[in-house]
């Protein structure tokens, strides 16, 4: 309970831009009006600016404070050695038996669950081997009871209690300097994330070859000037969902472009997965790039398997002339329009009554 | 649980995600299906292991299948219905119509003769309810002959498979012969519109807003040069609204950017069938709006239609509750608005998908902290409620009310 | 292997009905023989004895194009242009033939009538209530006789003869096969896996071109989700991610089937053409590594 | 600061996936990695820990059957390869590619 509250406190802000905190106004209480006005006049919209290096096509944030800021304020970036939040340092401390015992990280809990599942599978394999033997002798299925038990074992929530074991490999020697663990982990932003922080929020400084880089320069590095450039398509979609309040993260694990979280990963599961397709003005061009149903069926199976909603975002692609005639990036982006379709398997049995 | 965990556990047991019909079933279970309850998924083996037991079980399964396939296709003399295939009309003709299937199949003309569409004719013959006859020979047709004569092209055969698939599921299915586009009705009822306008005004005059408005704050920023610090944002809704930039297709103003008429000969797609849920009071003469409309597409021949085609297709649909809008935000996001079904067919294997128009652009989901909690324990709960309220229908209500002083 | 199997398959070529470029089997005996050849097809008709469900379906059986090509190339089957064949068959019937068909039908009904009468008498005798005349009983029995609808037209005169003519007409056979317009790579991969004793089925439901079973799908779970990709075509890493996820989740592998494009191999002597061709097929099996 | 593709996957294997003895090998056109995983890659394997080969590749890169064939040709006798697919958010996902038709794991 208190953990939940504190999580809410840590992630109070959903962008690295914070509104001015003003007190509530009670209409019949003039003092509240005054308080409001004072807070308003004194207040400043806070922008928490961080710094990233743009090297070899990667956006890396190495300053610990910046990493924390980006994660706390809207879940930007991903630890390069972690599933999402940069937790490698803590994890490794624990693994190497350094530092204090802290809460388990997601990665550790997952590892334990997987171990348990493996044990179960081993038992099942044994059982099946036994069964096969008997089958050769012509005896059928004497193990229904045991199998049921196994099923229970599988269905039961796997209890996550751990005793600490230290795992020190030769390869870990290089991590230690004077017996202290070096933090090798940096935070990586994907291109649309970095560009959003720069272009839409102006909350990040991006260095390229140790020199600060402007928004336009960055844009030119990330995109070809072609109107159906993948970066542009991905960016406008990213911007669209971010500006509606979604926490947008990569969907690569499920073979999609993005996953949409309400608030952020620790609060909700991602309910929606996004794939992006172009919609040209020329129908013939659209027919040429049309996807086949089998491809969609495969994606929808994976997404349906994790009970997520699949959104196909068709991005209207302007003509090259329209695009080139725009002076500002803002105008250019406004030429792209988002069209959303939901794609879901329809099961006849479940729609009859 | 983490997403990945969800994947692992949900797929550890493939049964949970694969529908029963998807898998090839053990025909020894067919007898169970006749007792109305679905049989349990038969235990299958990993691979052939060369044991006699396995071979004999396989043989048993095959024989059950062959026996079932050998079952008679027939009806009794008392219920005899003869239907003649009239090639020139592409219709089956029943001169003395009778039978319960008439409730949902065929059209009765002024002479009280019943005309069956090809898929109806073939389906009724296949399930043994009518005896199909040749027109110019005094001879009954076989199922083989029905297939050969009823369908003029490969698409019609795929459509037939979808028709009978849905019929077997108990749906009432009719060809969607309405070749014109049904004009789209107003999506928002007038009352609703007045109401939402009203809310907008009410919100405009809520005090914090009034003040920020008076101080001339314009929510639209200049991108690139944007400097939030020079703006007085007092809530996240202002910040988010200020970064809204990308246009989106909204369900309430769905007109797409004008697309030049393409020279492509691609024909307009129209739903193939209308589908009704089973109903004992169904009147085929004056049917209500269907529950669903479905387009049939062969996956080896057709690709996903273009966006324009899909929009046109969805616009052309007309079915019950088309304009129903969920009051709950998360349901709206998941279910979308207008939809069409597409039956994708791969050699008679049918996979139906629902394509619906979504409109995330009209829904804000940013987190709004609740009022200051009475005590810590209630914190999470309050937030939730607050969120739900906001989700209802008015985004402008999403003003942050910071509970802290 | 089953004892009957050998006898069954060597018998004679099996007819495949081609209707609008689709291939169907309307004869249960042919279906049985195909099953022993490892050709399952898709049952796609309503099962008349259980018409209100979609789990178990009935005749006709629809075949995938690759199955058809395989059967024809291996000389197990031949193609029948169904509509033309039926037109000829029916036009060729004169009034006497039609009468004869009706007589045969009547004979069947008479037999059923007799049987039912005997059954009824037995029953009534046992109950000791057999006091009505046979004529009255027949009136009722006649109402309950069954009108049968046949799967196929094999009972029509000259059906065998006509099919033989079609079988022997090489031009018809060639044209029909060409009209199926099959994709060469898909067929190569089909053939390759068939040689490895896989049973193949359409793949839509698992997001592939085919799915592959290690034996008869009635008894075994599928192992392979099969995709066909040209030698120098991009497989698409996102497709690998997606396909691998899906396949591993349902205990299968995501198979990439391709065919070498290189010309160097061409010079090699062509002793066994079939195998030579198949050696060019190259497969890769993808699964999720279980971490990362 | 700069992390080229191969280093990126190498570090990910070493420090996130906890593989050991991860070293690059140069093939004629590309560099791949070899090393030992934390646990058996395939639970049905008979030997305890096998040396595995990892091909680092960017998600947006092309991969063709021809390319896979080339890698297997150069790694004579190796029956499987791991693709280390690098996304632009720094995620590396791993997929096993078996040479030929491979039966899925029984469990």
């Amino acid at each position: 309970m208190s953990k939940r509250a504190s999580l809410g406190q840590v992630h109070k802000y959903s962008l690295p831009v914070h509104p001015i905190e003003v007190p509530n106004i009670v209409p019949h209480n003039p003092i509240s009006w005054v308080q409001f006005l004072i807070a308003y006049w004194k207040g400043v919209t806070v922008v928490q600016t961080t710094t990233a290096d743009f090297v070899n096509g990667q956006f890396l944030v190495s300053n610990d404070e910046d990493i924390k800021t980006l994660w706390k304020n809207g879940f930007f970036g991903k630890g390069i050695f972690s599933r999402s939040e940069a937790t490698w340092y803590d994890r490794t401390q624990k693994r190497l038996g350094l530092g204090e015992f802290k809460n388990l990280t997601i990665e550790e809990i997952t590892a334990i669950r997987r171990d348990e599942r493996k044990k179960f599978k081993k038992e099942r394999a044994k059982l099946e081997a036994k069964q096969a033997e008997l089958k050769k002798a012509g005896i059928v299925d004497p193990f229904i009871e045991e199998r049921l038990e196994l099923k229970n074992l599988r269905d039961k929530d796997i209890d996550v209690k751990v005793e600490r074991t230290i795992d020190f490999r030769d390869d870990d020697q290089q991590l230690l300097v004077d017996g202290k663990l070096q933090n090798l982990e940096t935070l990586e932003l994907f291109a649309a994330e970095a560009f959003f922080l720069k272009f839409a929020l102006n909350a990040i400084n991006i260095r390229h070859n140790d020199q600060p880089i402007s928004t336009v320069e960055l844009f030119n590095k990330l995109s070809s000037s072609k109107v159906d450039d993948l970066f542009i398509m991905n960016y406008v979609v990213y911007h669209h969902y971010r500006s509606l309040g979604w926490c947008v993260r990569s969907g690569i694990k499920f073979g999609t472009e993005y996953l949409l979280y309400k608030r952020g990963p620790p609060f909700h599961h991602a309910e929606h997965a996004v794939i992006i397709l172009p919609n040209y003005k020329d129908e013939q061009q659209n027919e040429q790039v049309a996807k086949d149903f089998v491809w969609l069926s495969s994606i929808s199976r994976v997404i349906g398997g994790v009970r997520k909603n699949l959104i196909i975002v068709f991005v209207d692609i302007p003509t090259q002339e329209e695009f080139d005639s725009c002076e500002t990036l803002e105008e250019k982006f406004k030429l792209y329009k988002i069209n959303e379709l939901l794609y879901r398997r329809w099961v006849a049995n479940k729609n009859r009554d | 649980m983490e997403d990945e965990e969800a994947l692992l556990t949900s797929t550890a047991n493939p049964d949970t995600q694969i529908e029963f019909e998807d898998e090839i079933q053990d025909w020894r279970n067919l007898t169970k299906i006749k007792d109305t309850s679905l049989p349990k998924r038969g235990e299958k083996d990993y691979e052939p292991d060369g044991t006699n037991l396995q071979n004999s079980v396989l043989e048993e399964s095959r024989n059950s299948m062959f026996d079932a396939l050998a079952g008679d296709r027939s009806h009794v003399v008392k219920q005899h219905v003869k239907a003649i295939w009239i090639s020139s009309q592409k219709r089956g003709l029943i001169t003395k119509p009778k039978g319960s299937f008439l409730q949902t199949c065929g059209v009765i003309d002024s002479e009280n003769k019943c005309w069956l569409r090809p898929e109806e004719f073939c389906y009724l013959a296949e399930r043994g309810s009518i005896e199909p006859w040749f027109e110019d020979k005094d001879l009954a047709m076989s199922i083989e002959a029905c297939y050969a004569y009823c369908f003029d092209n490969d698409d019609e055969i795929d459509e037939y498979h979808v028709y009978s698939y849905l019929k077997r599921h108990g749906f009432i299915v009719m060809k969607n012969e309405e070749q014109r586009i049904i004009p789209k009705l107003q999506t928002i009822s007038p009352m609703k519109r007045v109401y939402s306008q009203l809310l907008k005004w009410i919100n405009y005059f809520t005090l914090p807003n009034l003040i920020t408005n008076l101080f001339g704050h314009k929510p639209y920023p200049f991108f690139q040069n944007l400097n939030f610090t020079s703006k007085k944002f007092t809530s996240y809704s202002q910040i988010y609204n200020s970064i809204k930039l990308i246009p989106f297709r909204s369900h309430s103003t769905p007109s797409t950017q004008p697309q030049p008429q393409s020279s492509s000969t691609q024909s307009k797609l129209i739903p193939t069938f209308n589908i009704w849920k089973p109903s004992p009071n169904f009147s085929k003469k004056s049917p209500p709006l269907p529950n669903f409309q479905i387009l049939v597409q062969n996956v080896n021949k057709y690709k996903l239609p273009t966006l324009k085609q899909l929009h046109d297709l969805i616009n052309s649909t007309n079915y019950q509750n088309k304009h129903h809008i969920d009051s709950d935000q998360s349901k709206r996001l998941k279910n979308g608005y207008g939809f069409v079904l597409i039956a994708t067919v791969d050699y008679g294997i049918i996979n139906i998908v629902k394509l619906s128009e979504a409109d995330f652009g009209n829904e804000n989901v940013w987190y709004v902290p609740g009022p200051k909690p009475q005590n810590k324990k209630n914190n999470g709960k309050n937030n939730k409620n607050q969120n739900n309220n906001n989700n209802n229908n008015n985004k402008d209500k999403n003003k942050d009310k910071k509970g802290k002083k | 292997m089953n004892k009957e199997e050998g006898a069954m398959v060597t018998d004679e070529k099996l007819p495949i009905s081609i209707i609008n470029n689709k291939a169907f089997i309307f004869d249960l005996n042919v279906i049985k023989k195909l099953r022993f050849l490892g050709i399952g097809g898709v049952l796609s008709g309503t099962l008349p004895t259980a018409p209100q469900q979609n789990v178990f379906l009935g005749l006709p059986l629809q075949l995938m194009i690759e199955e058809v090509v395989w059967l024809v190339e291996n000389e197990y089957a031949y193609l029948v242009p169904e509509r033309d064949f039926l037109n000829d068959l029916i036009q060729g019937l004169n009034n006497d033939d039609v009468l004869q068909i009706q007589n045969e039908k009547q004979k069947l009904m008479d037999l059923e009538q007799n049987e039912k009468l005997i059954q009824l008498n037995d029953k009534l005798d046992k109950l000791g209530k057999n006091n009505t005349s046979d004529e009255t009983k027949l009136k009722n029995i006649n109402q309950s006789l069954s009108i049968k609808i046949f799967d196929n037209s094999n009972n029509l005169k000259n059906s065998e003869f006509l099919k033989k003519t079609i079988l022997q007409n090489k031009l018809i056979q060639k044209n029909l096969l060409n009209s199926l317009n099959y994709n060469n790579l898909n067929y190569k991969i089909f053939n390759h896996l068939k040689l490895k004793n896989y049973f193949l089925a359409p793949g839509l439901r698992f997001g592939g071109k085919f799915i592959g079973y290690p034996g008869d799908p009635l008894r075994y779970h599928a192992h392979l989700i099969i995709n066909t990709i040209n030698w120098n075509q991009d497989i698409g890493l996102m497709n690998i991610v997606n396909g691998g996820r899906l396949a591993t989740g349902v205990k299968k592998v995501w198979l990439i089937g391709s065919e070498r494009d290189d010309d160097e191999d061409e010079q090699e002597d062509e002793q066994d053409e079939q195998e030579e061709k198949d050696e060019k097929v190259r497969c890769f099996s993808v699964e999720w590594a279980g971490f990362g | 600061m700069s992390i080229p593709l191969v280093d990126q996957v190498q570090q990910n294997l070493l420090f996130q996936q906890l593989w050991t003895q991860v070293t690059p090998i140069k093939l004629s056109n590309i560099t791949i990695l070899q090393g030992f995983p934390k646990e058996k890659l395939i639970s049905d394997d008979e030997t305890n820990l096998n040396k595995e080969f990892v091909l680092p590749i960017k998600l947006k890169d092309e991969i063709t059957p021809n390319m896979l064939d080339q890698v297997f040709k150069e790694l004579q006798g190796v029956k499987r390869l791991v693709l280390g697919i690098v996304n632009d958010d720094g995620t590396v996902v791993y997929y096993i590619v078996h040479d030929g038709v491979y039966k899925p794991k029984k469990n």
Side-chain angles (χ1 to χ4, degrees), chain C residues 165-258:
Chain C
T165 323
I166 292 168
L167 161 62
Q168 280 155 3
N169 189 326
K170 291 212 169 112
L171 190 66
I172 292 187
Q173 290 303 311
K174 201 178 140 205
N175 287 345
L176 268 179
L177 193 63
N178 287 340
S179 76
L180 295 178
N181 210 359
Y182 64 94
N183 174 302
N184 204 30
L185 178 61
N186 288 347
Y187 176 63
K188 290 274 170 60
I189 305 305
F190 177 93
N191 186 48
H192 178 81
L193 293 167
K194 193 80 186 64
L195 283 172
K196 291 182 181 289
N197 288 321
Y198 280 94
F199 233 90
L200 274 73
L204 170 68
R205 273 174 175 161
F206 291 96
K209 173 65 198 164
F210 306 115
I211 42 179
Y213 296 82
D216 193 315
L218 289 175
R219 285 307 310 154
Y220 309 105
H221 286 297
H223 282 186
L224 315 172
I225 300 173
I226 301 153
N227 306 274
T228 63
I229 293 157
N230 289 318
W231 193 239
N232 286 308
Q233 184 190 339
D234 183 17
I235 304 163
L237 284 162
M238 203 57 133
N239 295 336
I240 287 181
V241 169
N242 202 282
R245 273 278 151 158
L246 174 57
T248 305
V250 292
K251 296 185 184 167
K252 308 189 195 320
V253 296
W254 196 75
L255 189 101
I256 298 160
S258 189

Side-chain angles (χ1 to χ4, degrees), chain C residues 101-141:
Chain C
I101 291 163
Q102 279 164 3
N103 283 340
E104 271 161 27
K105 222 170 156 186
Q106 192 56 52
K107 265 189 219 157
L108 278 177
M109 285 180 90
D110 290 347
L111 271 175
E112 195 187 347
Q113 189 195 46
N114 258 333
E115 242 170 66
K116 284 202 163 157
L117 183 62
I118 293 168
Q119 278 171 7
L120 185 64
N121 279 329
D122 274 3
K123 205 169 149 194
L124 292 173
D125 283 344
K126 270 181 197 157
L127 292 169
K129 286 181 181 171
N130 199 352
N131 40 24
T132 37
S133 72
D134 276 2
E135 259 167 58
T136 331
K137 285 176 209 153
L138 279 178
K139 251 190 192 169
N140 287 323
I141 286 174

Side-chain angles (χ1 to χ4, degrees), chain B residues 26 28 62 69 81 177 191 206 224 238 240 320 339 374:
Chain B
D26 190 336
R28 292 176 301 165
R62 278 184 175 169
L69 294 178
V81 180
E177 287 178 290
M191 258 325 281
T206 52
Q224 306 167 62
Q238 291 167 357
Y240 276 109
Q320 286 178 39
F339 71 90
Q374 301 303 312

Side-chain angles (χ1 to χ4, degrees), chain D residues 53-79:
Chain D
F53 297 87
V54 182
L55 169 65
I57 189 164
K58 278 189 195 153
L59 180 66
K60 303 243 149 74
D61 285 347
E62 263 199 7
I63 187 155
T64 65
N66 192 357
M67 288 157 70
L68 288 174
D69 185 58
Q70 292 298 325
V71 178
F72 277 113
K73 252 187 200 158
E74 290 201 46
L75 293 172
Q76 279 178 7
V78 169
K79 292 313 280 173

Side-chain angles (χ1 to χ4, degrees), chain A residues 14 17 20 41 43 45 83 114 135 239 244 269 283 291 305 308 338 340 342 344-346 352, chain B residues 1-4 10 53 169 231-233 236 243 247 249 304 306 334 351-352 354 356 360 365:
Chain A
S14 55
V17 178
I20 301 164
W41 275 118
T45 310
R83 205 124 19 88
R114 280 186 189 163
K135 213 159 136 192
H239 189 119
L244 296 165
H269 283 274
E283 276 290 274
K291 292 290 183 181
K308 298 190 195 308
I338 305 290
E340 294 153 329
L342 304 178
R344 185 186 309 166
R345 194 143 185 258
W346 187 85
R352 198 168 37 204
Chain B
M1 228 194 306
E2 262 264 333
D3 287 321
E4 194 165 330
S10 76
L53 179 73
H169 266 301
K231 300 279 188 305
K232 299 252 176 193
F233 289 112
Y236 259 120
I243 59 170
R249 184 180 200 268
L304 181 72
T306 66
K334 273 190 191 141
N351 192 18
I352 302 181
K354 177 180 175 180
S356 4
F360 278 57
V365 298

Side-chain angles (χ1 to χ4, degrees), chain C residues 11-190:
Chain C
D11 250 349
E12 53 189 65
K13 286 194 181 182
L14 306 170
I16 299 173
S17 302
I18 303 296
I19 301 172
N20 294 319
N21 299 333
K22 288 181 187 279
F24 291 97
I25 309 291
F26 293 92
D27 182 343
L28 179 56
N29 286 321
V30 176
I31 293 178
K32 287 181 184 174
K33 290 175 186 173
L34 291 178
R35 197 99 201 163
F36 287 114
L37 290 170
I39 296 291
V42 180
L43 286 167
S44 51
T46 302
L47 193 66
T49 49
Q52 289 294 73
Q53 46 85 39
N54 279 288
V55 179
F56 302 102
L57 298 185
L59 261 54
L61 183 84
Q62 191 177 359
L63 296 177
M64 296 190 286
I65 296 182
E66 292 78 12
E67 289 177 311
V68 176
V69 177
W70 185 84
L71 286 167
V72 171
E73 294 233 312
N74 289 284
E75 308 203 334
Y76 290 120
Y78 65 101
L79 309 176
V80 178
E82 191 60 37
R83 213 175 198 175
D84 294 346
F85 160 72
L86 281 177
N87 277 341
D88 288 354
L89 194 61
I90 285 147
Q91 293 317 311
L93 298 174
N94 59 33
N95 288 344
D96 287 350
D97 298 330
V98 173
L99 266 179
Q100 203 195 326
I101 291 163
Q102 279 164 3
N103 283 340
E104 271 161 27
K105 222 170 156 186
Q106 192 56 52
K107 265 189 219 157
L108 278 177
M109 285 180 90
D110 290 347
L111 271 175
E112 195 187 347
Q113 189 195 46
N114 258 333
E115 242 170 66
K116 284 202 163 157
L117 183 62
I118 293 168
Q119 278 171 7
L120 185 64
N121 279 329
D122 274 3
K123 205 169 149 194
L124 292 173
D125 283 344
K126 270 181 197 157
L127 292 169
K129 286 181 181 171
N130 199 352
N131 40 24
T132 37
S133 72
D134 276 2
E135 259 167 58
T136 331
K137 285 176 209 153
L138 279 178
K139 251 190 192 169
N140 287 323
I141 286 174
N142 284 343
Q143 287 293 300
S144 74
L145 293 180
S146 48
I147 309 261
K148 280 184 192 145
I149 295 108
F150 292 111
D151 293 336
N152 52 56
S153 308
N154 294 357
N155 62 325
L156 298 187
K157 192 182 147 196
N158 292 335
S159 164
E160 286 292 309
F161 170 76
L162 252 178
K163 279 186 185 162
K164 219 160 246 165
T165 323
I166 292 168
L167 161 62
Q168 280 155 3
N169 189 326
K170 291 212 169 112
L171 190 66
I172 292 187
Q173 290 303 311
K174 201 178 140 205
N175 287 345
L176 268 179
L177 193 63
N178 287 340
S179 76
L180 295 178
N181 210 359
Y182 64 94
N183 174 302
N184 204 30
L185 178 61
N186 288 347
Y187 176 63
K188 290 274 170 60
I189 305 305
F190 177 93

